[in-house]
Amino acid sequence: MSIDPIISRRGLRVIPLLLAAAFGHAYADPVVGPPGTAGSNGTSPGGAGTPGGAAPALALASDATLPNTADGKFALRGWGGSGGAGGNGAPGGAAGAGGRGGDADFLVLGNPAWRGTMDTEVFAGGGAGGSAGVHGSGGQPAVGGAGGNGRAVSDIGTTSSTAGLLTRAGAGGGTGGDGGAGGGVGGSAVTQLTARGAGTDLESIAQGYGGSGGSALQLGNGGNGGDAAVSNASTAGSGAKAVLTSDAEGGRGGVGRGTGYRGGNGGAASAALQARVGNSVTQASVRTAGGTGGAGQAGADGGAGGDAVLHAPVDIVTHGTLQLTYAATGGYAGSSDRGRAGAAGRADASLTLSDRYASQATLKVIGQGGNGGNAGAIGGTSSAGGAGTARADVTTNAPLVLEVSANGGRGGNARDSGRDARTNGGAGGRADATSIARGNAAVTVMARATGGTGGEGTFKGQRGGAGGAAFASAAGHSSSGNVDVMAEARGGDGAWGYNDASGGDGGDVNLVDSVAGTTTGALTLTQTATAGTGGDGSPAWRSTEAYRGGNGGTATSRLTVIDRGAASVDAVVSARGGSGGSGRTVGNGGGAEAVLSLRTTTSGARASGTATAVAGGTGNFGGQEGAMTGNAAARVTVEAERRAVAEANAQVFSAGSIRNVNAEAIARAVSAGAARAVAKGSSNSDTGTTRVRAEAIGGSDTTYAEARGLGSTVDASAYSSATGAASSSARAELGSFSSGTVRSDSVSTGSNGILVHTAAHGSMAPEESGANGASARTDANVGGAIATNELWTNGRASYSYATAAPDGRALATTLTGAPEVAAALAKGQVVGVGMMGVRDSWPDRAMATAISSANFQFNTGVPGYLTLGLLDPLGEDARTADLELTISNHGTQIFRQWFGTLADAQLFFSDRALGLGQLGTGAQDLMVTAQFWVSDPGAFSFRYALGVSAVPEPQTWMLMLLGSVFVFRAGRRKG
């Protein structure tokens, strides 16, 4: 071992006795520098104590080459000496101040030739400041001594290609001394680590911790915590795994005492990291934390938590996998009994990184605001949580996962150590997360923000702290890889209120166009807004106070996307309102709105979009009078060439009784190929309305629309449109124990303007609603599959299916059981085939009315005869009362038939061909309408066919439109 002559040139004091601390093959005992001289006590009345002496600095340097060590271990650890204690004052005399702690400045250099794993450690801790002496009666108190500074510098390298290296460097500031008039400041810490691994694995750890401030023992300020600064510069061999750490934390502030004084502020911290590593895994961590503020006692204010600002660049070059955590944490605020709690430290983590070499990168950026300070006695005031901010802008060539998280700090409580301050709780801190990722491969980028929870409030007329607001934004871009982008913001929860205090309100969240992305691959976008819940109020013993639960926050999530390059786009937008808190009066639930507009312009692209809105419920326990919850609205529109899928979900639910609260779900999908739209809405509001609407407008592929509603008053409608043989189906449903109306429509067009339209609608009165609900179902196509006859199995249902210009082979199969109709239609052209039906399963209810219609529009080049074929009816139960069948052309009725019993209808509809007269040339507009009166329970369905034959020559014609409308409502049987 040798002493680095640089140290002597710098004028640092070297203690030869300490050289043994780093000698040999094993860790040696820590070294402690000599203390400062204690102050002298006052000897006569009025005599002051003298200050304690400062401890001398301890400076060491060592060569860690150690070619002959037996186990490859090396350590240099120690502390500066403590400052001398101040002398006591004689009666009437002042106290002596404490002496300053000694600095510790350690330097280790070397390039060991060890072929195994080299293990080195250096730690330098500043000495503690001396305590102030005790003043004599009537004398003046003194302050404690400052803590010494710690500085550790380590520059270690290995020369063997087979050697591993574990190296640690740390520094700590000394604790400030206590004093009657105030505490001494904590010492600072500086750590500088350089590690050079030439062989296998490398682990380098650099840490620094500021010293704690001393406390005031009588009346005075607490000492501020010391600052900490850390840097790590490491190099690893080509095949080595590298684990790199740079960690800094500010010191804690000391306790302050007395009105007009304060606790010490927490220290600040900074950290930096630089690395050049090889082809293996690199795990890196950069963390800073502000120190905690000191408490305020006897009326003193609390100290502020240290801010954590992490903006230092991270310079890492690796050809392997990169895993990085980059985090800042604000210091907690100091509490106060009768004064004001300190301000919470804010956190601000901001990373900018451009990497060209890593084979894969996973990065996490975190900003955590400090917690607010508590108030612990009457007259005290709690403080708000600190803001948490996290940002990242990263560019790589490799697959990238980037996660950015921001969290607001918790608000301070209005109670501490079991004592109530009888005041409001502090508000939760705000959270902001922003994430941008760019690459040439797969990109996954996330931004999460969570507002801080409010602090607890105490006593009547007070309330818990409100939850903090939150905002998140994320963007991902890739030249060709798949891109997954997510932004999620959650408002902080309101805090509880105790001893008759009300609960705090939940934080609101409002996200508008917070996600974006570009790629030629698959693009996935997720935007989520979740409001905070209201806090509960709670009573004091046998209380009759009117405390209430906090209101839930409101959530809004809106997104508009116009994509011009991705092969597929999937977007999910959601909003969830916060639930109200419980109390003697419950808190209101928050409303929710989710809106998505998604359009792709890329040829052959697919797109899907989902919007979900869930309103928060009221509190579960307490008085419900006047309690409300917000509306829920979900609306989505998706447009894509190849396939479009849209789904909207809206839900209102509360454990308590609510009135006049609405749910709305609207889904619309538009495509030249397949389209699917589903809308679902539900509300348990006693008088609210649930509106659901689904529209699927497709082309040459399957199109489907579905609308489902549940609630006291429901309006559910579904519409589908397609072309050619592709199925166009629509379903509208009322859920169990719901009332309202349902309607479905299906349209299909073929070549040369062929079009068919079916429709069905029904209703359910409140007194009729039951477990199986009601539905309306339609299907339409041109030249596609022909529906088989069926009776719906349960509930209340109306349905209508139709095929225009049916395929000859499929038509022949359909007409096999109806020879009379087959013969009548054989001489001409079949315009279309359809099926209509109705079901009512409710016993002991009013008679249900159903109306169905089928509309055919087509051109005839020459006059022709119209024939109606009735094929194969199905009936169930005997109390189906009446049926009316009508056919019109351009609104003019050309056929009408009334049936008084089910038996008459079944007989009439069994293999019967009816001539309906002559059609002129030009456009035709036929409407087949059937109206049923069905007693409960009962069901009836039939199939039909329409044909046109020549007069007298075979005519040419084109089918223009076939539609079916089927209305189903409750009514009394006609006399």
PDB file of all heavy atoms in Angstrom, residues 195-214:
ATOM      1  N   ALA A 195     -15.254   2.992 -11.635  1.00  0.00           N
ATOM      2  CA  ALA A 195     -14.988   1.559 -11.628  1.00  0.00           C
ATOM      3  C   ALA A 195     -14.669   1.105 -13.040  1.00  0.00           C
ATOM      4  O   ALA A 195     -15.390   1.443 -13.980  1.00  0.00           O
ATOM      5  CB  ALA A 195     -16.180   0.801 -11.078  1.00  0.00           C
ATOM      6  N   ARG A 196     -13.576   0.320 -13.163  1.00  0.00           N
ATOM      7  CA  ARG A 196     -13.152  -0.164 -14.479  1.00  0.00           C
ATOM      8  C   ARG A 196     -12.962  -1.664 -14.398  1.00  0.00           C
ATOM      9  O   ARG A 196     -11.957  -2.150 -13.895  1.00  0.00           O
ATOM     10  CB  ARG A 196     -11.858   0.523 -14.899  1.00  0.00           C
ATOM     11  CG  ARG A 196     -12.018   1.999 -15.246  1.00  0.00           C
ATOM     12  CD  ARG A 196     -10.693   2.742 -15.350  1.00  0.00           C
ATOM     13  NE  ARG A 196     -10.191   3.111 -14.015  1.00  0.00           N
ATOM     14  CZ  ARG A 196      -9.206   2.515 -13.395  1.00  0.00           C
ATOM     15  NH1 ARG A 196      -8.582   1.494 -13.961  1.00  0.00           N
ATOM     16  NH2 ARG A 196      -8.824   2.912 -12.195  1.00  0.00           N
ATOM     17  N   GLY A 197     -13.973  -2.396 -14.901  1.00  0.00           N
ATOM     18  CA  GLY A 197     -13.888  -3.842 -14.900  1.00  0.00           C
ATOM     19  C   GLY A 197     -13.418  -4.355 -16.241  1.00  0.00           C
ATOM     20  O   GLY A 197     -14.020  -4.057 -17.274  1.00  0.00           O
ATOM     21  N   ALA A 198     -12.345  -5.129 -16.226  1.00  0.00           N
ATOM     22  CA  ALA A 198     -11.808  -5.655 -17.484  1.00  0.00           C
ATOM     23  C   ALA A 198     -12.266  -7.076 -17.753  1.00  0.00           C
ATOM     24  O   ALA A 198     -12.076  -7.591 -18.856  1.00  0.00           O
ATOM     25  CB  ALA A 198     -10.275  -5.611 -17.446  1.00  0.00           C
ATOM     26  N   GLY A 199     -12.875  -7.716 -16.751  1.00  0.00           N
ATOM     27  CA  GLY A 199     -13.173  -9.123 -16.895  1.00  0.00           C
ATOM     28  C   GLY A 199     -14.648  -9.445 -16.902  1.00  0.00           C
ATOM     29  O   GLY A 199     -15.389  -8.973 -17.757  1.00  0.00           O
ATOM     30  N   THR A 200     -15.073 -10.226 -15.914  1.00  0.00           N
ATOM     31  CA  THR A 200     -16.447 -10.727 -15.883  1.00  0.00           C
ATOM     32  C   THR A 200     -17.376  -9.691 -15.276  1.00  0.00           C
ATOM     33  O   THR A 200     -17.342  -8.552 -15.684  1.00  0.00           O
ATOM     34  CB  THR A 200     -16.484 -12.046 -15.111  1.00  0.00           C
ATOM     35  OG1 THR A 200     -15.971 -11.844 -13.794  1.00  0.00           O
ATOM     36  CG2 THR A 200     -15.636 -13.108 -15.800  1.00  0.00           C
ATOM     37  N   ASP A 201     -18.182 -10.066 -14.318  1.00  0.00           N
ATOM     38  CA  ASP A 201     -19.242  -9.181 -13.837  1.00  0.00           C
ATOM     39  C   ASP A 201     -18.687  -7.990 -13.062  1.00  0.00           C
ATOM     40  O   ASP A 201     -17.664  -8.075 -12.371  1.00  0.00           O
ATOM     41  CB  ASP A 201     -20.204  -9.954 -12.944  1.00  0.00           C
ATOM     42  CG  ASP A 201     -20.958 -11.023 -13.714  1.00  0.00           C
ATOM     43  OD1 ASP A 201     -20.917 -10.963 -14.955  1.00  0.00           O
ATOM     44  OD2 ASP A 201     -21.567 -11.908 -13.076  1.00  0.00           O
ATOM     45  N   LEU A 202     -19.454  -6.882 -13.179  1.00  0.00           N
ATOM     46  CA  LEU A 202     -19.120  -5.654 -12.476  1.00  0.00           C
ATOM     47  C   LEU A 202     -20.332  -5.181 -11.692  1.00  0.00           C
ATOM     48  O   LEU A 202     -21.433  -5.092 -12.229  1.00  0.00           O
ATOM     49  CB  LEU A 202     -18.717  -4.567 -13.475  1.00  0.00           C
ATOM     50  CG  LEU A 202     -18.644  -3.133 -12.914  1.00  0.00           C
ATOM     51  CD1 LEU A 202     -17.503  -3.013 -11.912  1.00  0.00           C
ATOM     52  CD2 LEU A 202     -18.496  -2.123 -14.039  1.00  0.00           C
ATOM     53  N   GLU A 203     -20.127  -4.868 -10.421  1.00  0.00           N
ATOM     54  CA  GLU A 203     -21.151  -4.214  -9.609  1.00  0.00           C
ATOM     55  C   GLU A 203     -20.517  -3.020  -8.924  1.00  0.00           C
ATOM     56  O   GLU A 203     -19.581  -3.166  -8.134  1.00  0.00           O
ATOM     57  CB  GLU A 203     -21.739  -5.160  -8.571  1.00  0.00           C
ATOM     58  CG  GLU A 203     -22.865  -4.515  -7.766  1.00  0.00           C
ATOM     59  CD  GLU A 203     -23.595  -5.476  -6.842  1.00  0.00           C
ATOM     60  OE1 GLU A 203     -23.198  -6.662  -6.787  1.00  0.00           O
ATOM     61  OE2 GLU A 203     -24.555  -5.040  -6.167  1.00  0.00           O
ATOM     62  N   SER A 204     -21.015  -1.833  -9.245  1.00  0.00           N
ATOM     63  CA  SER A 204     -20.490  -0.604  -8.645  1.00  0.00           C
ATOM     64  C   SER A 204     -21.634   0.137  -7.971  1.00  0.00           C
ATOM     65  O   SER A 204     -22.665   0.389  -8.591  1.00  0.00           O
ATOM     66  CB  SER A 204     -19.813   0.272  -9.696  1.00  0.00           C
ATOM     67  OG  SER A 204     -20.733   0.706 -10.670  1.00  0.00           O
ATOM     68  N   ILE A 205     -21.406   0.508  -6.705  1.00  0.00           N
ATOM     69  CA  ILE A 205     -22.447   1.134  -5.899  1.00  0.00           C
ATOM     70  C   ILE A 205     -21.881   2.419  -5.320  1.00  0.00           C
ATOM     71  O   ILE A 205     -20.910   2.397  -4.555  1.00  0.00           O
ATOM     72  CB  ILE A 205     -22.904   0.209  -4.764  1.00  0.00           C
ATOM     73  CG1 ILE A 205     -23.423  -1.125  -5.329  1.00  0.00           C
ATOM     74  CG2 ILE A 205     -23.985   0.885  -3.921  1.00  0.00           C
ATOM     75  CD1 ILE A 205     -23.715  -2.172  -4.267  1.00  0.00           C
ATOM     76  N   ALA A 206     -22.508   3.545  -5.665  1.00  0.00           N
ATOM     77  CA  ALA A 206     -22.123   4.843  -5.128  1.00  0.00           C
ATOM     78  C   ALA A 206     -23.303   5.399  -4.346  1.00  0.00           C
ATOM     79  O   ALA A 206     -24.410   5.507  -4.874  1.00  0.00           O
ATOM     80  CB  ALA A 206     -21.723   5.789  -6.249  1.00  0.00           C
ATOM     81  N   GLN A 207     -23.043   5.788  -3.080  1.00  0.00           N
ATOM     82  CA  GLN A 207     -24.118   6.256  -2.215  1.00  0.00           C
ATOM     83  C   GLN A 207     -23.650   7.471  -1.411  1.00  0.00           C
ATOM     84  O   GLN A 207     -22.470   7.582  -1.077  1.00  0.00           O
ATOM     85  CB  GLN A 207     -24.564   5.150  -1.251  1.00  0.00           C
ATOM     86  CG  GLN A 207     -25.146   3.934  -1.947  1.00  0.00           C
ATOM     87  CD  GLN A 207     -25.409   2.790  -0.997  1.00  0.00           C
ATOM     88  OE1 GLN A 207     -24.559   2.451  -0.181  1.00  0.00           O
ATOM     89  NE2 GLN A 207     -26.587   2.197  -1.088  1.00  0.00           N
ATOM     90  N   GLY A 208     -24.593   8.347  -1.122  1.00  0.00           N
ATOM     91  CA  GLY A 208     -24.287   9.499  -0.293  1.00  0.00           C
ATOM     92  C   GLY A 208     -25.501   9.925   0.510  1.00  0.00           C
ATOM     93  O   GLY A 208     -26.624   9.963  -0.020  1.00  0.00           O
ATOM     94  N   TYR A 209     -25.279  10.261   1.789  1.00  0.00           N
ATOM     95  CA  TYR A 209     -26.372  10.615   2.687  1.00  0.00           C
ATOM     96  C   TYR A 209     -25.983  11.860   3.477  1.00  0.00           C
ATOM     97  O   TYR A 209     -24.974  11.858   4.205  1.00  0.00           O
ATOM     98  CB  TYR A 209     -26.677   9.467   3.653  1.00  0.00           C
ATOM     99  CG  TYR A 209     -26.974   8.167   2.952  1.00  0.00           C
ATOM    100  CD1 TYR A 209     -25.972   7.226   2.737  1.00  0.00           C
ATOM    101  CD2 TYR A 209     -28.247   7.908   2.461  1.00  0.00           C
ATOM    102  CE1 TYR A 209     -26.243   6.047   2.059  1.00  0.00           C
ATOM    103  CE2 TYR A 209     -28.521   6.731   1.783  1.00  0.00           C
ATOM    104  CZ  TYR A 209     -27.512   5.806   1.586  1.00  0.00           C
ATOM    105  OH  TYR A 209     -27.770   4.645   0.913  1.00  0.00           O
ATOM    106  N   GLY A 210     -26.779  12.919   3.299  1.00  0.00           N
ATOM    107  CA  GLY A 210     -26.525  14.120   4.071  1.00  0.00           C
ATOM    108  C   GLY A 210     -26.769  13.892   5.542  1.00  0.00           C
ATOM    109  O   GLY A 210     -27.623  13.092   5.941  1.00  0.00           O
ATOM    110  N   GLY A 211     -26.039  14.615   6.370  1.00  0.00           N
ATOM    111  CA  GLY A 211     -26.200  14.463   7.805  1.00  0.00           C
ATOM    112  C   GLY A 211     -27.471  15.120   8.318  1.00  0.00           C
ATOM    113  O   GLY A 211     -27.983  16.089   7.752  1.00  0.00           O
ATOM    114  N   SER A 212     -27.992  14.605   9.398  1.00  0.00           N
ATOM    115  CA  SER A 212     -29.190  15.172  10.020  1.00  0.00           C
ATOM    116  C   SER A 212     -28.828  16.441  10.772  1.00  0.00           C
ATOM    117  O   SER A 212     -27.743  16.552  11.362  1.00  0.00           O
ATOM    118  CB  SER A 212     -29.819  14.172  10.987  1.00  0.00           C
ATOM    119  OG  SER A 212     -30.252  13.012  10.317  1.00  0.00           O
ATOM    120  N   GLY A 213     -29.750  17.404  10.748  1.00  0.00           N
ATOM    121  CA  GLY A 213     -29.545  18.611  11.533  1.00  0.00           C
ATOM    122  C   GLY A 213     -29.776  18.351  12.998  1.00  0.00           C
ATOM    123  O   GLY A 213     -30.543  17.471  13.389  1.00  0.00           O
ATOM    124  N   GLY A 214     -29.112  19.144  13.814  1.00  0.00           N
ATOM    125  CA  GLY A 214     -29.313  19.022  15.241  1.00  0.00           C
ATOM    126  C   GLY A 214     -30.621  19.664  15.682  1.00  0.00           C
ATOM    127  O   GLY A 214     -31.221  20.470  14.968  1.00  0.00           O
TER     128      GLY A 214
END
